[in-house]
Amino acid sequence: MTEARRRLVSPQLKMATGADHGLKKIVWQRIKDTLIADCRKSEVWKILILDQFTTRLLSSCCKMSDLMSEGITIVEDLHKNREPVLEMKAIYFMRPTAECIDAFINDFKTKPKYKAAYVFFTDYCPDDLFDKMKKNCAKHIRVCKEINISFLPLEAQVFSCDNAEAFKSIYSPNSQDRDQTLEMIADQIVTLCAALDEYPGVRFKKDPNLNYGKKLAELVDNKLARHYELDENSKKKDKTPAQLLIVDRALDPVSPILHELTYQAMAYDLIPIKDNIYEYKLKDGCKKEALLNEEDELWVKLRHMHIAEVTGQIPKLVKEISASRGERKQADEKISIGGLSQLMKKMPGFRKQMTQKTVHLSLAEDLMNHYQKNVEKLCKAEQDLAVGADAEGQKVKDPMRTLLPVLLHPHDTTDKIRAVLLYIFSLNGTTAENLNKLIQHVKIEDEKGYILNWEHLGVPILSTPSMFSFRKQSRRDRSDEETYKVSRWTPIIKDIMEDVVENKLEVKEWPYQSECPSVWNGSRAVSARQKHKGSSPDDLRSGTRLILFVLGGVTYSEMRCAYEVTHANKSCEVIIGSTHILTPRSLLEDIYNLGKQPMERFTIEEGKP
């Protein structure tokens, strides 16, 4: 075996998550059916060359062992210097951008680095770039295809465009690439629909102030029509009984700001988790890292539970471990992280399984420390302001009385900003005089943008008598649902999901961009494409999908809602996605940065003093 064959994987590629869940399974299957199937005809071992996005894409849906079993032994970075391996064929999987095309051409223009190239683009390659590649490298290319996957499958029912910069491009008043960004997002949404084999009816939220949702809906609908016209292999030219809803971030400014107390949302809010990696310490001071993803069955089981339920689960988990080795007596006692470490040493056969449980013991402990130290004091005020009533159902008559204890307590500035925003949202905007007092109290006179820049999203910060003023979304009655007093708020998007599934979403507020099958039009008529089984809601929903796209970022609590509504309705699967995933702190930074001027403005003209 050559030196090249022995190099299995480049260090920057962390193959981690499994392919056994929903969207990930669909994406991995599509990659196998296209990219890998075309290359399998040759017995020769191959090199896989990826750009930054496709590295993340493959990492999200397969492991290195999956690639190895398909004859791929080396994974390389397209944009880094690579040694030539002339006896091997190379698979290029990349975005159709000028930067990627130039890097590809450099590999073959003067002296070829590989025996041949199999080129696969995530999406449609513009004619000028395709012609440039063909002109320089045609004789080296064996295959050139577009496989229509330009989104990341983050979870079984969650996808991302992996574009946090889109927030500024869309909402900044100084944006110079808004239309270009919306075009790119639309292309990505179309590839999601194609991967799911759906041609959905497209709807958007009517907004008298901002029309970004409407623009995106138009783009997606037109591009879907073009896609299914051009796709010769597609048998599905008619609309399918699926709906795609375009939701703007302004629909619900509250959910991203509240302290959410379900396990996953709480973890990403309070703990510095980067690239899904949680760092923790054992009692002996030893540092460990854990990847929080769907490979970890315990994470999948716990992630949407309230922290109170998670902490209740931990003694049971410890008992399970102990029971497997007859250690019941020890399990009944209080077991710390250190104690569990000692237990692990006695049970080497169960170390992998127990490592997962150690991780979640540590994470739950971390979260409870944060909660008891700080968050608990914030939750009652936040919930009262968000819901507009206290835990006993009494209406909040004076929101300022609810806010004051938070402002007077030595919470950190970010927590105070979050509380002030919830106060302003509860009033649909406040007076300039009141706003200035609040800004002075929180001591952010030089950082007013954290609050003022919400106006760029169409969220009112200053109250206005205008007849076109921001109207709050009417809420579903959940008074009969059991909730924790510190977690009474339900994300607005869950109301929307449930209204769609029950055919109750107002067409005036949520118009269709184009005609949709009657199965979804609220008339209780069944699409001609479906067999008529009856008129019950379950019959109507059979085999349907609801896809929600949140323009401007989606929260972990909103992601949870997709699973909850799917679980409650069984036969309707809810898929949710966005430009990127939000945490409260990342959103506040995005909001603040909307006020910054683009660098392009600061140019010095030649010859002028």
Side-chain angles (χ1 to χ4, degrees), residues 238-258:
D238 299 330
K239 289 280 176 100
T240 57
Q243 278 199 73
L244 167 63
L245 258 65
I246 307 288
V247 178
D248 195 279
R249 184 62 269 165
L251 177 78
D252 181 2
V254 172
S255 292
I257 295 303
L258 276 175

Side-chain angles (χ1 to χ4, degrees), residues 115-394:
K115 190 175 181 179
Y118 294 75
V119 180
F120 295 89
F121 292 116
T122 54
D123 202 354
Y124 175 76
C125 182
D127 290 344
D128 58 329
L129 293 178
F130 181 80
D131 291 341
K132 184 179 181 181
M133 186 176 72
K134 191 172 151 188
K135 180 183 172 186
N136 287 284
C137 307
K139 65 179 181 181
H140 301 290
I141 299 171
R142 297 287 179 271
V143 170
C144 186
K145 284 188 177 179
E146 296 148 351
I147 68 169
N148 288 315
I149 301 177
S150 57
F151 63 92
L152 292 185
L154 297 183
E155 292 183 6
Q157 292 171 227
V158 181
F159 70 95
S160 165
C161 293
D162 196 34
N163 187 359
E165 293 301 312
F167 189 89
K168 192 169 186 180
S169 298
I170 292 163
Y171 296 113
S172 170
N174 306 310
S175 175
Q176 297 171 346
D177 60 349
R178 183 177 294 120
D179 290 343
Q180 183 187 340
T181 301
L182 288 171
E183 285 271 356
M184 188 165 75
I185 293 167
D187 285 332
Q188 290 177 287
I189 295 172
V190 169
T191 71
L192 170 88
C193 295
L196 294 171
D197 207 19
E198 296 284 12
Y199 187 1
V202 182
R203 299 176 76 173
F204 60 94
K205 179 73 166 75
K206 217 171 183 179
D207 189 326
N209 301 312
L210 298 177
N211 65 348
Y212 306 143
K214 184 177 191 298
K215 273 187 182 176
L216 184 58
E218 285 173 2
L219 286 168
V220 171
D221 204 54
N222 292 335
K223 287 174 185 286
L224 274 169
R226 205 174 314 134
H227 170 80
Y228 283 111
E229 279 168 21
L230 295 172
D231 188 359
E232 293 172 8
N233 299 320
S234 174
K235 297 174 186 174
K236 205 175 279 186
K237 308 251 188 244
D238 299 330
K239 289 280 176 100
T240 57
Q243 278 199 73
L244 167 63
L245 258 65
I246 307 288
V247 178
D248 195 279
R249 184 62 269 165
L251 177 78
D252 181 2
V254 172
S255 292
I257 295 303
L258 276 175
H259 279 89
E260 165 77 25
L261 299 183
T262 49
Y263 193 46
Q264 181 184 37
M266 195 178 181
Y268 281 84
D269 181 6
L270 302 178
I271 309 287
I273 296 169
K274 192 178 178 187
D275 296 328
N276 301 322
I277 294 171
Y278 165 56
E279 294 181 359
Y280 63 104
K281 279 184 182 179
L282 295 177
K283 199 172 182 181
D284 60 4
C286 180
K287 285 186 180 180
K288 294 279 186 181
E289 284 187 354
L291 199 57
L292 302 176
N293 63 24
E294 290 177 329
E295 280 280 286
D296 180 345
E297 290 175 28
L298 199 48
W299 171 247
V300 174
K301 183 181 173 186
L302 297 172
R303 64 185 173 186
H304 299 143
M305 285 185 188
H306 194 277
I307 189 64
E309 293 163 19
V310 173
T311 52
Q313 285 287 319
I314 285 172
K316 293 178 189 173
L317 297 174
V318 174
K319 282 184 182 181
E320 276 176 33
I321 302 164
S322 304
S324 63
R325 284 294 192 208
E327 300 279 351
R328 294 180 195 275
K329 189 180 175 185
Q330 191 172 348
D332 288 333
E333 297 165 8
K334 187 181 177 184
I335 295 180
S336 65
I337 303 297
L340 192 63
S341 179
Q342 291 301 312
L343 204 57
M344 283 178 70
K345 288 174 185 174
K346 298 176 187 176
M347 301 184 285
F350 289 81
R351 281 190 187 180
K352 186 182 176 184
Q353 183 188 10
M354 290 174 60
T355 298
Q356 284 183 359
K357 299 185 180 182
T358 310
V359 168
H360 295 293
L361 277 166
S362 178
L363 181 53
E365 206 172 276
D366 275 1
L367 294 178
M368 283 308 295
N369 287 340
H370 278 281
Y371 178 73
Q372 289 162 353
K373 181 181 173 185
N374 185 42
V375 177
E376 187 176 11
K377 297 180 184 74
L378 293 163
C379 281
K380 184 189 181 301
E382 288 185 355
Q383 291 293 316
D384 289 358
L385 289 169
V387 177
D390 64 18
E392 283 69 47
Q394 295 296 312

Side-chain angles (χ1 to χ4, degrees), residues 27 30 253-254 305 329 361 364 403 428 516 599 605:
V27 169
R30 193 174 181 93
V254 172
M305 285 185 188
K329 189 180 175 185
L361 277 166
L403 174 66
N428 240 11
C516 193
M599 292 301 290
E605 291 184 37

